[in-house]
Amino acid sequence: MLSGKTIILGITGGIAAYKGAALCSKLVQAGAKVHVIMTESAAKFITPLTLQTLSRNPVHTDTFDERDPSVVSHIHLADHADLIIVAPATAGTIAKLAGGHADDMLSTTLLAATCPIVIAPAMNVHMYEHPAVVSNMELLAARGAMFIEPGTGQLACGYVAKGRLAEPEDIANAVQSWFASSKLLAGKRVLVTAGGTVERLDPVRYLTNDSSGKMGFAIAEAAQLMGAEVTVVAGRTSAPPPAGIRLLRVESAQQMLEAVMAEYETLDIVVKAAAVADYRPVAASSSKLKKNGERLVLELERTTDILEQLGKRKKRQVLVGFAAETEQVAFYAMDKLRRKHCDLIVANDVGQAGAGFNHDTNIVQIYGEEGLIEALPLMSKREIGSRLLTLAAERLPQAGESGEYA
Ligand code: CTP
């Protein structure tokens, strides 16, 4: 399943370095061309000869050990890699990469790489939970690095806790499914709306909501990783937008409607993750409103329901809506799906811990025409994004089908 893929396996200096050998072997067996880079400390735990034998390629440990004068090896390796896996990744290597340090063969190659990076940390549980390590991992994740979480078990330091390198088989499987899903949306155009809309009362005041944009941005990142051409139409957000994705900023529900409609014909999948205002002030004052009297009554009018409009004009597009509910989640989700002619509805009970606005995680159920398709446990918004888009991809019309909505 990995034939034709060039993978760099970075092994760093932790006791789990020996598992790097099993991982190397599994990647080679799956058909990948594997080039191993070991840090000096890794070479204290396991010999480069082991990895050379398993990978059938020379192992790199020293940046200045240039064997081929026609190339600069760390740049050459970085340029030709489809993926870099760092397993095990020590706290030190994670810190180096987060800080942009380049002082050995692995860190220089990582900095020179433009391909995706998978990091499988392994360390003592207190190190893994240290705020410095946590913030380094968050920074790398925000830059697009993928993490394979360590497992819980007996650690070399004696603790039974989280920090043990994920099993080589699980890492190899994750890599294979990543490569498989990275082509799922190739050539497809995906638009995601994110954040909350802003409805002006006057030049300095507005009505909005708590949406951070995290869910929409995570879906956009997942779509990009799956090979799609992605556009994000974002209202007010507090989370940083993903790098390298076309971003159209809007304020009001009306502007969001116009921006989405302008693109609609050319799109394959639309995900409406934005929290759109249902009402806006009937009149927005062009000058700052002066206080006047003890009470102020605001008159609001309905905004256009963007999702409903998209549903009405749907041709071949796969349409995904969201339903944030506090009660009777299944009932309201299915009602929205049918009313707004969506293919999928992502419903969440915003009353649950770890779900909803401003979290990196969410707990959602995904509904389709047939009813509940998947009830996902607490997971990162990026993982939810890739699960959701896999379901959306399955619903894309096949070649020859018009997908016209009747
Ligand atoms: N939505 C939209 N345009 C609006 C309001 C909502 O496109 N003016 C979309 C949201 O982006 C979301 C979905 O509709 O994908 C559900 O939003 P929600 O406000 O929960 O839906 P309503 O139908 O307004 O639900 P309720 O009846 O509970 O108010």
Side-chain angles (χ1 to χ4, degrees):
M1 281 187 71
L2 295 178
S3 74
K5 302 294 175 206
T6 301
I7 296 177
I8 296 178
L9 173 60
I11 302 182
T12 71
I15 182 61
Y18 76 94
K19 287 193 187 173
L23 176 59
C24 177
S25 165
K26 291 204 179 306
L27 297 172
V28 172
Q29 278 170 37
K33 249 192 237 165
V34 181
H35 294 279
V36 178
I37 303 177
M38 294 174 74
T39 60
E40 255 179 50
S41 333
K44 295 199 163 106
F45 287 98
I46 181 166
T47 72
L49 182 61
T50 307
L51 276 305
Q52 178 180 302
T53 312
L54 290 169
S55 68
R56 296 173 210 139
N57 278 310
V59 171
H60 304 262
T61 45
D62 180 359
T63 327
F64 301 103
D65 180 17
E66 296 283 11
R67 291 163 223 178
D68 178 356
S70 66
V71 297
V72 176
S73 41
H74 64 280
I75 304 295
H76 185 74
L77 279 171
D79 283 351
H80 289 85
D82 294 302
L83 184 74
I84 303 187
I85 309 171
V86 187
T90 56
T93 297
I94 289 171
K96 268 195 207 176
L97 186 54
H101 297 279
D103 61 359
D104 62 12
M105 183 65 186
L106 181 59
S107 51
T108 46
T109 309
L110 283 166
L111 276 199
T114 53
C115 66
I117 296 174
V118 171
I119 299 172
M123 64 196 78
N124 161 273
V125 61
H126 298 311
M127 293 170 81
Y128 186 66
E129 287 170 358
H130 192 285
V133 177
V134 171
S135 80
N136 285 335
M137 291 196 291
E138 281 173 356
L139 183 64
L140 291 172
R143 285 192 207 138
M146 293 171 276
F147 280 84
I148 298 184
E149 283 209 5
T152 299
Q154 178 79 47
L155 301 180
C157 48
Y159 288 94
V160 176
K162 191 165 178 170
R164 200 169 72 166
L165 181 69
E167 289 310 317
E169 193 171 349
D170 295 336
I171 301 176
N173 287 342
V175 166
Q176 296 199 26
S177 50
W178 180 79
F179 273 117
S181 73
S182 67
K183 285 189 245 83
L184 218 51
L185 293 177
K188 301 294 174 200
R189 295 203 63 202
V190 176
L191 183 141
V192 184
T193 66
T197 55
V198 166
E199 306 300 333
R200 293 256 159 215
L201 289 162
D202 70 16
V204 293
R205 302 183 181 99
Y206 50 81
L207 301 176
T208 189
N209 57 63
D210 273 338
S211 174
S212 61
K214 281 183 179 173
M215 189 70 238
F217 289 161
I219 294 167
E221 277 177 325
Q224 194 184 37
L225 283 173
M226 292 163 88
E229 195 186 313
V230 188
T231 300
V232 176
V233 176
R236 179 175 173 274
T237 56
S238 53
I245 287 180
R246 179 169 172 246
L247 178 68
L248 308 176
R249 282 284 181 191
V250 294
E251 261 205 355
S252 62
Q254 183 60 29
Q255 288 172 3
M256 186 170 277
L257 171 74
E258 287 162 17
V260 177
M261 284 302 173
E263 307 272 322
Y264 196 36
E265 281 291 303
T266 66
L267 300 172
D268 296 291
I269 298 175
V270 182
V271 185
K272 288 277 317 113
V276 186
D278 290 322
Y279 294 91
R280 67 174 161 236
V282 170
S285 168
S286 56
S287 53
K288 187 177 167 232
L289 294 168
K290 286 289 186 196
K291 63 178 156 306
N292 188 3
E294 285 307 308
R295 285 180 178 224
L296 172 71
V297 177
L298 285 177
E299 198 184 347
L300 305 178
E301 64 185 5
R302 283 287 291 271
T303 57
T304 306
D305 191 315
I306 305 169
L307 191 55
E308 198 175 285
Q309 291 305 313
L310 294 173
K312 280 187 185 150
R313 295 178 203 190
K314 192 161 79 144
K315 290 194 178 117
R316 64 195 164 83
Q317 296 90 343
V318 173
L319 195 53
V320 184
F322 272 69
E325 308 291 348
T326 49
E327 53 186 7
Q328 297 187 64
V329 178
F331 174 78
Y332 286 121
M334 287 308 290
D335 174 59
K336 262 169 217 177
L337 181 118
R338 294 193 180 117
R339 215 165 16 94
K340 303 192 187 189
H341 303 303
C342 293
D343 297 278
L344 296 169
I345 283 275
V346 184
N348 62 347
D349 182 341
V350 278
Q352 275 179 289
F357 286 163
N358 255 313
H359 292 278
D360 290 318
T361 53
N362 211 344
I363 307 165
V364 304
Q365 293 94 48
I366 305 177
Y367 292 84
E369 190 43 49
E370 61 272 50
L372 178 67
I373 305 173
E374 276 190 17
L376 301 177
L378 180 75
M379 54 167 69
S380 74
K381 288 186 171 175
R382 175 112 53 96
E383 278 177 277
I384 292 173
S386 69
R387 193 62 213 124
L388 175 64
L389 290 165
T390 304
L391 293 172
E394 286 166 7
R395 281 157 178 76
L396 284 168
Q398 301 300 308
E401 283 178 25
S402 74
E404 192 99 15
Y405 171 70

